[in-house]
Amino acid sequence: MKRLRILLIPVLFIGLLMLNSCVSNINSNALFKIPKGSDFEYDSLPLKPLDDYRLGPGDRLSFVFGPNKGERIVFNQSGVTEIVEGNLMNAQNTRNRVDYLIRQDGTIELPLVGIIQAKNLTIIEFEDTLTNRLSRDFIDPFVQIRVTNQRVIVFPGRGLAQVVYLTNANTSLLEVLAMAGGILEEGRANSIRIMRRTDIGKREVYKVDLSTINGINVADMIVQGNDYIYVDYKPRIASSVFREVGPWLTLATTTATLIALILR
């Protein structure tokens, strides 16, 4: 009997290891968890951005310019062939837009303009700055700037993430979720977190509930470039436990078999 107790010690030890492993690994891939006992509070949810998007390093811009209030641009977009100094100019050659990168120091180099500071300016402010600069050499310049790499990162549920590019400045939360494929089966529509960077570099965190019809207005909230959208999910406890216990269960079974053979 004493010998049996001694041989059972490894089995009990393996069982404890199994239990500890299961508890520590269930839902271990969840992001942005709020620690228990924390005094964390969500920020007030703005349905529209409190401020226009401000340019920063890493942004890519398309730059469209035309003198005489953009007269040539109108010709080009309409497909009309324009006569310039007696020569025919095909508009198709000017339709191909090039992206220009804002450098880490906040400057950008543009044709006809050169190097100019763009960091922390809204698109309208930057367009006004370029218009003033180009007015020195051109009559009634028309300038249009568009950010071509605005994007949000969406986590629609367990194990998946997508980068969604914003082609529309007024893209809603519901549109972004749709472009990411919707909320996954184990996702929690009543617990969606939006993390948005502020002017001072900090991220505000908003919580959204789309599980009932009352959330229809919140679904129309406008997202901003560089938002993180995270959908909480229900942990699959049974599958997680089985996945973690499997290797240990095999070891325990093997150990028990060996003990049974020794005691014969």
Side-chain angles (χ1 to χ4, degrees):
M1 190 69 177
K2 184 177 180 180
R3 187 180 179 187
L4 176 61
R5 291 176 181 174
I6 294 174
L7 291 174
L8 285 177
I9 291 176
V11 176
L12 295 174
F13 179 72
I14 292 174
L16 290 174
L17 287 177
M18 290 167 54
L19 181 61
N20 180 68
S21 174
C22 293
V23 171
S24 62
N25 284 288
I26 290 177
N27 208 26
S28 62
N29 62 340
L31 301 175
F32 312 122
K33 291 185 287 188
I34 298 175
K36 291 183 179 179
S38 171
D39 58 355
F40 176 84
E41 293 184 1
Y42 289 101
D43 296 292
S44 298
L45 178 68
L47 295 184
K48 293 184 179 179
L50 300 179
D51 191 12
D52 291 334
Y53 180 78
R54 294 190 175 272
L55 302 172
D59 282 337
R60 289 187 173 274
L61 311 178
S62 67
F63 170 53
V64 176
F65 160 69
N68 299 321
K69 299 182 179 180
E71 178 183 60
R72 185 175 298 178
I73 298 174
V74 175
F75 278 117
N76 293 347
Q77 291 180 343
S78 65
V80 175
T81 300
E82 183 183 4
I83 300 178
V84 180
E85 297 181 355
N87 296 319
L88 293 179
M89 185 178 96
N90 193 333
Q92 298 293 336
N93 294 330
T94 62
R95 289 184 181 178
N96 295 326
R97 296 182 178 179
V98 179
D99 289 346
Y100 302 92
L101 176 69
I102 297 181
R103 303 164 178 170
Q104 289 303 310
D105 62 358
T107 63
I108 186 171
E109 185 173 9
L110 298 174
L112 304 176
V113 178
I115 298 176
I116 189 171
Q117 185 66 231
K119 183 179 178 180
N120 290 331
L121 296 178
T122 67
I123 293 176
I124 293 177
E125 290 171 346
F126 191 46
E127 287 177 344
D128 290 341
T129 300
L130 294 176
T131 299
N132 292 333
R133 176 72 68 89
L134 291 166
S135 295
R136 303 172 187 174
D137 302 308
F138 300 92
I139 300 173
D140 293 330
F142 171 83
V143 175
Q144 187 179 68
I145 292 295
R146 186 169 68 89
V147 183
T148 59
N149 67 334
Q150 273 197 316
R151 60 201 181 278
V152 297
I153 301 177
V154 183
F155 299 84
R158 184 184 182 118
L160 289 179
Q162 290 193 40
V163 177
V164 176
Y165 284 87
L166 305 177
T167 57
N168 181 359
N170 292 316
T171 304
S172 70
L173 172 62
L174 197 60
E175 287 179 289
V176 168
L177 290 174
M179 287 188 282
I183 298 176
L184 299 183
E185 183 178 355
E186 67 270 20
R188 296 175 56 193
N190 65 341
S191 184
I192 300 172
R193 281 175 277 176
I194 300 163
M195 288 151 271
R196 175 170 298 167
R197 187 182 297 278
T198 63
D199 293 341
I200 60 174
K202 178 194 171 193
R203 282 194 182 270
E204 293 186 340
V205 183
Y206 318 119
K207 188 172 183 180
V208 173
D209 182 356
L210 298 182
S211 62
T212 68
I213 194 65
N214 294 328
I216 189 66
N217 292 330
V218 181
D220 289 331
M221 74 169 290
I222 304 301
V223 300
Q224 273 192 334
N226 297 322
D227 278 356
Y228 300 159
I229 300 172
Y230 185 82
V231 180
D232 283 328
Y233 56 86
K234 301 180 287 291
R236 294 180 174 178
I237 297 177
S239 60
S240 297
V241 170
F242 183 78
R243 184 174 59 251
E244 297 297 331
V245 166
W248 295 104
L249 187 59
T250 301
L251 180 59
T253 303
T254 303
T255 303
T257 302
L258 290 174
I259 292 175
L261 292 174
I262 293 173
L263 294 177
R264 280 185 177 181

